[in-house]
Amino acid sequence: FYVSLLPHSRITHVSRYGEAGPMPAGTAMTVSFELAGTPFMALNGGPHFEATEACSLVVSCDSQEEIDRLWSSLVADGGRESQCFWLKDRFGVSWQIVPSGM
């Protein structure tokens, strides 16, 4: 979902839980990816580890159209708006979508 929203984004590696893992075999354990050229790694620790505002992703946008496109895509299907450029997407990840001049 995320790599479809930002240019220069891609999934670079997926590792999966095996038979002895705490999650069902074949479930994604880690996903390495790039968003706008910046590398990230996400760990699937299960549903008891929830995302919080303690960690957020910041996207600097050059136009109102870009802000509107990202904002509407990220709050769609269960996301929610917050204040001052903040939102949570449908997965509970916090984002700050800000104009480049700020």
Side-chain angles (χ1 to χ4, degrees):
F1 172 65
Y2 300 136
V3 300
S4 72
L5 297 178
L6 299 166
H8 311 292
S9 300
R10 64 191 180 118
I11 295 171
T12 57
H13 183 74
V14 177
S15 64
R16 300 191 177 277
Y17 283 104
E19 294 297 327
M23 302 285 281
T27 302
M29 180 172 59
T30 64
V31 178
S32 298
F33 57 102
E34 295 175 4
L35 293 179
T38 301
F40 292 90
M41 179 186 284
L43 169 66
N44 178 5
H48 50 279
F49 291 104
E50 295 183 18
T52 72
E53 290 85 359
C55 179
S56 65
L57 299 173
V58 179
V59 179
S60 182
C61 298
D62 292 329
S63 68
Q64 186 64 49
E65 292 77 23
E66 185 180 13
I67 290 170
D68 293 343
R69 180 185 64 80
L70 287 172
W71 191 273
S72 62
S73 296
L74 289 166
V75 298
D77 300 321
R80 67 181 192 270
E81 298 179 353
S82 189
Q83 56 186 337
C84 299
F85 310 113
W86 287 74
L87 64 87
K88 273 195 177 184
D89 67 25
R90 64 184 178 214
F91 304 108
V93 175
S94 292
W95 293 77
Q96 298 175 61
I97 308 299
V98 298
S100 296
M102 303 246 358

